[in-house]
Amino acid sequence: MSTIMKRSAVLSLSLFAVLPALVQAQTLEECQQAAERNYPLIGQYGLIEKTAQLSVANVAKGWLPQVQATAQATLQSDVTAWPEQMQAMMTQMGIGVKGLKKDQYRVGIDVSQTLFDGGDMSSRQAVVRQQAQVQRAQAEVSVYAVRQRVNEMYFSLLLIDQQIKLNNDLQALLEANEKKLASMHERGTAARSDYQSVKAERLGVAEQLGALRQQRATLLRLLSVLCGMEVSSPVKPAPTTVVALQANCRPELKAFDAQLRLADAQQRQLDAALMPRLSVFASGFYGYPGYNMFNDMLHHDWSWNGMVGARLTWNIGALYTRKNDKARLQQQRLMAENSRQVFLFNNRLEQLQQSEAVERYRKQMEADVEIIELRHQIRLSAESKLAHGIIDVNDLVKELNNENAARVQQSIHEIEMLKEMYNLKYTTNNEEKQ
């Protein structure tokens, strides 16, 4: 007994430790939010932002002094030399003229600082940021699509729950009639086969209940995995009213806008590429020959040399491809606009189909109410007729099944209507009409 108590205590502590993690999400909105947070792609948001920050920081380093170290050794076919008359004159004066050596060496460093770049670096940073916005918008499109998967599972669960409820109700009716027939059989007013027939029907319905519960358990596991949290009992959402055929807030439209803004940023980068660049520089080296060529002709010694200055450059090579680059960006804009129009066209069709489906199910539900009432009255009449021996038990079972089928049909229409309402809400991504 002591060992059993210890095991029970350990099990209780384990369940208590796990319990906080098993947060139960019941409503459709809670499941959608949980599924979006749990979707692995959500992790790309941080990666995209971090990558953009690093790329922008790298572009900004273009404003830092650019340092380049060089080491050079050359062998020339010819070098600068004194004219022969001057060589002869200097020789007569006793001055030895060696001339420049054909092998020359230098080790140096060049430093330049950009003062004006025509907006090139700022435009490149803008392009990097906008590319990150495009990637983020595309990720949002994929994450938003998770809601539709949640809707499918969630409303399937609601439909199964309704079928389980109606199955239990049918079993209760069959059991009540089974007991009534059993009592009539004991009094000799009903055949044993009548009692057995109703019992066999009840057992068949009970068998269907087991299959429904198995389907429900499977769907619950799938939805729980998708949401990353335990889902136990989905709650039927309230009917929602969404205005169809209006400007929606789907993330796909934001993605198209981001692509257009990216093309604009790339256009500004093309313009910046045509601007002149102004910089200052400093250059120094140790080697032979130096800047004093005359001295190096007399002495073959290495020397220190330096230079500072300002440089204005203008690369007109960007003009060669500018026309094609602008045409390419215009094609990108046209493609984005075309994709937007295609999406809106298909989206409007979906809204029309879903709106009409909602109205169709609404009218069917109105008819279902009358049908159920009629089937209910027919079933009550059949029970009375069976008690008076006017009909046999098969007729009663038939009417019981007819009434249950009518109720199942009503449940299907109700859940399907709710599903179409929330699919319409997903299609437009608009809130309820106030």
Side-chain angles (χ1 to χ4, degrees):
M1 180 61 69
S2 176
T3 303
I4 294 176
M5 292 180 65
K6 289 181 179 179
R7 290 177 178 175
S8 299
V10 171
L11 180 60
S12 299
L13 290 174
S14 300
L15 290 175
F16 181 77
V18 173
L19 188 60
L22 301 180
V23 181
Q24 296 182 351
Q26 307 294 343
T27 68
L28 177 61
E29 288 75 13
E30 289 173 341
C31 288
Q32 289 176 343
Q33 294 171 6
E36 288 183 355
R37 290 193 300 268
N38 185 58
Y39 196 51
L41 191 63
I42 202 74
Q44 283 196 7
Y45 290 161
L47 297 176
I48 292 171
E49 184 66 23
K50 185 62 177 178
T51 301
Q53 290 176 357
L54 293 174
S55 299
V56 169
N58 283 343
V59 174
K61 293 186 184 299
W63 288 108
L64 297 177
Q66 305 300 305
V67 181
Q68 181 180 11
T70 59
Q72 176 178 304
T74 60
L75 179 62
Q76 300 180 194
S77 62
D78 203 355
V79 294
T80 303
W82 293 103
E84 294 182 0
Q85 294 83 351
M86 293 187 66
Q87 288 185 9
M89 184 185 302
M90 296 180 71
T91 301
Q92 292 176 359
M93 296 172 59
I95 302 175
V97 180
K98 300 180 180 179
L100 291 178
K101 299 171 62 177
K102 292 185 177 181
D103 55 323
Q104 301 180 4
Y105 310 90
R106 66 167 57 189
V107 177
I109 187 169
D110 297 323
V111 181
S112 64
Q113 172 64 59
T114 300
L115 299 180
F116 175 74
D117 69 344
D120 179 65
M121 280 184 276
S122 62
S123 64
R124 282 194 289 155
Q125 288 177 325
V127 168
V128 169
R129 293 191 184 98
Q130 197 54 51
Q131 286 173 338
Q133 289 298 320
V134 171
Q135 293 174 349
R136 183 179 179 86
Q138 291 172 344
E140 288 178 356
V141 170
S142 299
V143 172
Y144 182 76
V146 175
R147 296 188 185 184
Q148 186 71 358
R149 297 170 63 182
V150 172
N151 284 358
E152 291 292 333
M153 294 184 186
Y154 198 89
F155 286 104
S156 296
L157 275 171
L158 290 177
L159 183 57
I160 290 179
D161 284 346
Q162 285 294 103
Q163 292 176 334
I164 289 175
K165 177 182 179 299
L166 293 174
N167 185 285
N168 288 325
D169 292 343
L170 179 58
Q171 285 191 65
L173 280 175
L174 289 169
E175 186 176 6
N177 282 278
E178 180 185 339
K179 292 179 179 179
K180 185 185 299 183
L181 288 169
S183 177
M184 292 172 63
H185 172 66
E186 291 177 357
R187 296 196 304 269
T189 57
R192 181 179 180 83
S193 60
D194 293 342
Y195 156 73
Q196 292 175 335
S197 178
V198 174
K199 182 177 181 180
E201 186 69 21
R202 179 178 61 82
L203 293 177
V205 173
E207 185 177 5
Q208 295 174 6
L209 179 62
L212 287 172
R213 286 176 173 169
Q214 182 62 39
Q215 293 177 22
R216 184 181 190 276
T218 300
L219 276 174
L220 277 177
R221 285 196 297 271
L222 291 174
L223 185 57
S224 297
V225 170
L226 182 60
C227 296
M229 58 200 308
E230 184 186 22
V231 182
S232 61
S233 300
V235 179
K236 185 190 301 182
T240 181
T241 303
V242 179
V243 180
L245 300 177
Q246 64 177 0
N248 57 37
C249 303
R250 286 286 293 267
E252 289 87 347
L253 299 180
K254 297 179 181 178
F256 298 139
D257 291 337
Q259 292 174 9
L260 292 174
R261 289 194 296 270
L262 174 59
D264 293 339
Q266 291 172 330
Q267 176 73 56
R268 290 190 291 271
Q269 186 179 10
L270 286 179
D271 296 337
L274 290 176
M275 300 296 290
R277 270 67 168 163
L278 176 63
S279 62
V280 293
F281 67 91
S283 177
F285 71 91
Y286 179 68
Y288 172 86
Y291 293 144
N292 190 342
M293 302 290 290
F294 295 110
N295 184 66
D296 292 334
M297 290 180 182
L298 298 175
H299 309 285
H300 293 170
D301 298 328
W302 287 34
S303 61
W304 289 101
N305 302 269
M307 179 190 300
V308 295
R311 181 182 294 118
L312 180 66
T313 61
W314 189 10
N315 181 12
I316 62 174
L319 289 172
Y320 303 153
T321 59
R322 178 175 174 80
K323 182 178 179 180
N324 290 340
D325 289 338
K326 290 180 66 176
R328 175 178 54 83
L329 291 177
Q330 182 61 21
Q331 293 302 313
Q332 289 182 9
R333 293 189 183 95
L334 293 176
M335 289 178 63
E337 285 293 349
N338 180 259
S339 298
R340 182 204 300 276
Q341 295 304 318
V342 170
F343 172 79
L344 289 174
F345 179 81
N346 293 329
N347 189 271
R348 283 193 293 269
L349 288 180
E350 289 181 10
Q351 291 183 45
L352 280 172
Q353 293 172 349
Q354 292 161 354
S355 298
E356 292 179 357
V358 169
E359 290 304 315
R360 182 175 69 252
Y361 287 126
R362 195 190 307 276
K363 292 178 180 178
Q364 289 176 339
M365 286 179 61
E366 293 174 357
D368 288 336
V369 173
E370 184 177 0
I371 293 172
I372 289 174
E373 179 60 27
L374 291 173
R375 289 296 182 188
H376 177 68
Q377 295 300 327
I378 293 172
R379 190 260 300 172
L380 292 178
S381 176
E383 289 178 345
S384 177
K385 290 178 180 179
L386 179 65
H388 292 84
I390 300 175
I391 61 173
D392 60 18
V393 70
N394 291 329
D395 293 328
L396 174 62
V397 171
K398 178 182 177 181
E399 296 306 331
L400 286 171
N401 287 330
N402 285 341
E403 181 184 358
N404 180 70
R407 295 185 184 278
V408 169
Q409 197 68 20
Q410 183 192 42
S411 297
I412 292 175
H413 292 159
E414 181 185 11
I415 299 302
E416 288 294 337
M417 184 185 71
L418 289 174
K419 180 181 177 182
E420 292 297 338
M421 285 180 174
Y422 280 87
N423 282 344
L424 180 58
K425 185 177 180 179
Y426 167 83
T427 302
T428 60
N429 195 27
N430 286 314
E431 298 299 327
E432 296 184 23
K433 182 181 179 181
Q434 300 296 327

